[in-house]
Amino acid sequence: MASIYKTNSLSHTVLLIDGNHFESSQLISPRIIEILKKKSKKDFKVFGIIDEHGNDIIVAPFVSKENRSAATLLEDVRTLGSVAQKVSVAVQLETISVASELSSELNFAFLEGFALTNYSFSKYKSNSSPQLKDIYVQENMLNDQAISTLNHIVKSVFYARDIVNEPLSGLNAKSLSGSAKSFSENVGIQYQELGIDTIRSLKMGGILGVNKGSLNDPTFTVLEWKPENAVNTNPIVLVGKGVVYDSGGYSIKVGDGMKTMKCDMGGAAAVFGSIYLAALEKLPLHIITIVPAVENMINEKAIVPGDILTISDGTTVEVLNTDAEGRLILSDALVYARQFNPEFVFDFATLTGAAMRALGSEGAAFMGTASQEIKDLVQAAAYYSHERVSEMPLWEEYAEQLKSDIADISNLGGPLAGAITAGKFLEHFTKYPWLHFDIAATAFLSHSSSYRLAGGTGTGIRLMLEFFKRYIANVQK
Ligand code: BES
Ligand code: ZN
Ligand code: ZN
């Protein structure tokens, strides 16, 4: 991973300039000013050029469009950073040094977009695509704290991308938990893995049922970040769906449905990454992260449609579709969360194709019973980080669809409102303020979009960092 460092060197490769006032820029030479003068501001884009000393330089002119909100401006600059990274790689640079004449907030966004683009999952490639080794920034561009935050964001998001990109052959429930153990040790997070005997003795029938078709044991991981200066008395609990592979089970996925299903632990990646980042940033918050992890596979022991499972709170579930497995394992985790008397619980899950159809990959669906104040903080954080979310209702009528003739509840709703009926199912197991984030469409992309590269995105982590900051500020005021 390329880190971001400060430099007091005067030679800079990437020049981030104010495209609206480039004529008076101190960063670019008269020759570049002449080049820019010939173009219309609307056509400004990142370009590479050889300077008078024969060095490659990359000019990134930022032109703010009219009527942009503060949040969209930041996203525009992240995208500019992403383009600048691609141009830097295209001209075969190995390290770059960035100078800027923009505000530190915009500089942060530029470097965020740049650094998040500087990623590739290449461990299985004999010839990996080149990336920049190091990123240097001019002294006055950002303060030390901001640089360290940037490096922490990159570290935690890349961790999440790596585990989402890792196929089943390289990541099972045990190694997913192991990956959390590794980062926990370095940053003072308490790590606990319940083990199969405990999962059995707690009668976690959702987790055990979904995993029955697998040769590997499920895992149940509990992480705790509890700094002395925590501003919350009751913990914030994050729950993540850890289906390391979703074949659908006997309700097997058809066509290309299975092709990307290594991403079905994207919720786990989001909550592991979020607590990791909170710890790296030493946030004054008490956070507990819970990840139930399974493989949804088929063998002669696997559950079949029509089977009944008993969740750890005693609720019986008629499994009408073995492909609606996420809600089954999450229910055990949501029940487990009760013992912590949480301030509130957020769950992240690649839960439904319906959420994907509703919003596409432009945002995640969220829903739940947390206060309007918490929802507002989430919305503000979502726009700022550009990990956007849109709320769906949880009206009581939707629960009708989950009625079962022979069990307390069924795991399958009707053909409509599938993201909501999944949420409704989860709500049954919550006894605290709660929000559910359905990241089915945003956790894994088939095509790159700006700094959100094809493959695992690591979504949810930057959203949570912004949410945590706002929550802390809110408590302290
Ligand atoms: N993991 C899938 C949801 C999913 C789909 C995630 C596409 C990422 C991309 C989930 O377990 C699933 O299969 N859901 C079913 C539920 C249905 C059977 C009620 C779905 O959405 O089709
Ligand atoms: Zn499924
Ligand atoms: Zn799934």
Side-chain angles (χ1 to χ4, degrees):
M1 186 192 103
S3 291
I4 299 161
Y5 307 96
K6 273 200 176 176
T7 178
N8 49 21
S9 142
L10 291 173
S11 64
H12 297 295
T13 0
V14 177
L15 307 176
L16 174 55
I17 61 165
D18 178 351
N20 292 326
H21 305 103
F22 70 90
E23 295 91 342
S24 55
S25 172
Q26 300 298 303
L27 278 180
I28 50 176
S29 64
R31 187 160 71 98
I32 295 172
I33 292 180
E34 286 313 309
I35 293 172
L36 286 170
K37 271 187 185 161
K38 289 189 192 121
K39 301 182 185 178
S40 132
K41 280 185 187 158
K42 272 186 282 176
D43 300 330
F44 278 7
K45 53 177 186 248
V46 178
F47 63 94
I49 187 169
I50 312 264
D51 74 4
E52 37 284 3
H53 311 290
N55 299 319
D56 279 307
I57 55 168
I58 286 154
V59 183
F62 177 62
V63 182
S64 52
K65 295 183 218 144
E66 273 168 51
N67 299 321
R68 301 297 268 174
S69 67
T72 44
L73 263 185
L74 288 176
E75 183 62 5
D76 290 342
V77 184
R78 285 188 201 104
T79 294
L80 191 74
S82 176
V83 176
Q85 190 277 350
K86 287 171 198 155
V87 174
S88 305
V89 170
V91 299
Q92 300 184 325
L93 296 173
E94 285 199 346
T95 63
I96 52 128
S97 143
V98 189
S100 164
E101 53 191 17
L102 302 186
S103 69
S104 53
E105 210 187 13
L106 294 180
N107 290 341
F108 189 99
F110 180 84
L111 289 165
E112 193 174 31
F114 194 106
L116 289 175
T117 307
N118 196 45
Y119 171 86
S120 73
F121 184 70
S122 52
K123 67 183 273 202
Y124 296 108
K125 284 255 193 207
S126 307
N127 299 306
S128 59
S129 51
Q131 296 295 327
L132 295 165
K133 290 204 181 71
D134 292 307
I135 300 167
Y136 289 90
V137 298
Q138 169 203 341
E139 280 287 347
N140 60 1
M141 231 181 127
L142 282 178
N143 65 31
D144 290 339
Q145 203 200 326
I147 290 190
S148 127
T149 299
L150 265 175
N151 281 314
H152 294 158
I153 289 173
V154 169
K155 207 177 218 174
S156 54
V157 171
F158 286 8
Y159 157 76
R161 289 181 182 180
D162 280 347
I163 58 172
V164 173
N165 287 329
E166 190 67 62
L168 179 62
S169 55
L171 189 95
N172 58 25
K174 185 110 205 112
S175 47
L176 173 60
S177 181
S179 76
K181 185 173 191 212
S182 305
F183 73 67
S184 295
E185 280 162 357
N186 299 329
V187 291
I189 292 173
Q190 285 251 25
Y191 166 90
Q192 195 194 0
E193 206 260 279
L194 292 191
I196 185 65
D197 295 334
T198 313
I199 294 174
R200 286 204 184 102
S201 68
L202 293 173
K203 299 191 163 63
M204 295 182 160
I207 293 171
L208 291 165
V210 172
N211 201 66
K212 264 173 85 183
S214 167
L215 298 176
N216 300 314
D217 284 339
T219 58
F220 194 94
T221 307
V222 184
L223 305 184
E224 183 169 27
W225 168 245
K226 193 177 185 185
E228 270 169 18
N229 59 350
V231 300
N232 52 334
T233 24
N234 299 336
I236 294 172
V237 176
L238 304 177
V239 174
K241 172 178 172 180
V243 176
V244 289
Y245 198 79
D246 183 11
S247 72
Y250 274 103
S251 310
I252 193 163
K253 289 188 181 291
V254 294
D256 276 346
M258 230 183 277
K259 215 164 68 176
T260 61
M261 280 305 131
K262 66 174 184 183
C263 83
D264 215 16
M265 33 58 70
V271 299
F272 277 159
S274 296
I275 196 171
Y276 183 23
L277 182 51
L280 284 167
E281 285 287 285
K282 299 194 166 56
L283 294 186
L285 276 182
H286 181 196
I287 304 169
I288 294 174
T289 289
I290 303 174
V291 168
V294 299
E295 288 169 20
N296 189 21
M297 305 298 274
I298 302 177
N299 64 20
E300 51 278 12
K301 289 191 177 154
I303 52 169
V304 293
D307 273 351
I308 292 182
L309 299 176
T310 306
I311 307 304
S312 40
D313 68 340
T315 302
T316 56
V317 182
E318 185 182 12
V319 179
L320 289 177
N321 190 315
T322 63
D323 199 9
E325 83 297 339
R327 61 196 77 179
L328 297 171
I329 70 164
L330 288 169
S331 58
D332 279 325
L334 292 171
V335 169
Y336 190 84
R338 291 178 192 168
Q339 68 188 280
F340 300 115
N341 196 15
E343 187 73 36
F344 49 82
V345 175
F346 288 177
D347 79 73
F348 283 81
T350 48
L351 208 61
T352 66
M356 199 168 211
R357 285 188 291 277
L359 299 174
S361 54
E362 299 307 331
F366 87 103
M367 59 205 85
T369 55
S371 67
Q372 193 56 45
E373 196 178 2
I374 294 293
K375 288 179 182 175
D376 288 345
L377 293 180
V378 165
Q379 276 293 3
Y383 280 113
Y384 185 92
S385 62
H386 204 77
E387 295 198 329
R388 292 170 298 183
V389 296
S390 182
E391 188 173 4
M392 288 188 170
L394 279 178
W395 298 318
E396 59 185 18
E397 288 78 1
Y398 292 111
E400 298 288 318
Q401 296 189 34
L402 296 171
K403 285 201 168 138
S404 161
D405 291 335
I406 61 166
D408 298 336
I409 183 173
S410 112
N411 79 330
L412 184 64
L416 304 178
I420 297 177
T421 50
K424 228 35 208 172
F425 183 96
L426 298 179
E427 185 187 19
H428 177 94
F429 301 92
T430 63
K431 290 194 168 166
Y432 35 69
W434 153 81
L435 290 181
H436 158 58
F437 295 84
D438 193 330
I439 56 169
T442 51
F444 193 92
L445 301 180
S446 45
H447 301 285
S448 294
S449 156
S450 182
Y451 56 91
R452 288 166 293 273
L453 308 181
T457 55
T459 194
I461 300 171
R462 293 174 48 253
L463 168 67
M464 280 300 100
L465 176 64
E466 288 308 321
F467 170 78
F468 290 151
K469 285 190 197 158
R470 284 166 174 74
Y471 179 79
I472 293 164
N474 216 39
V475 172
Q476 284 171 340
K477 83 175 179 217

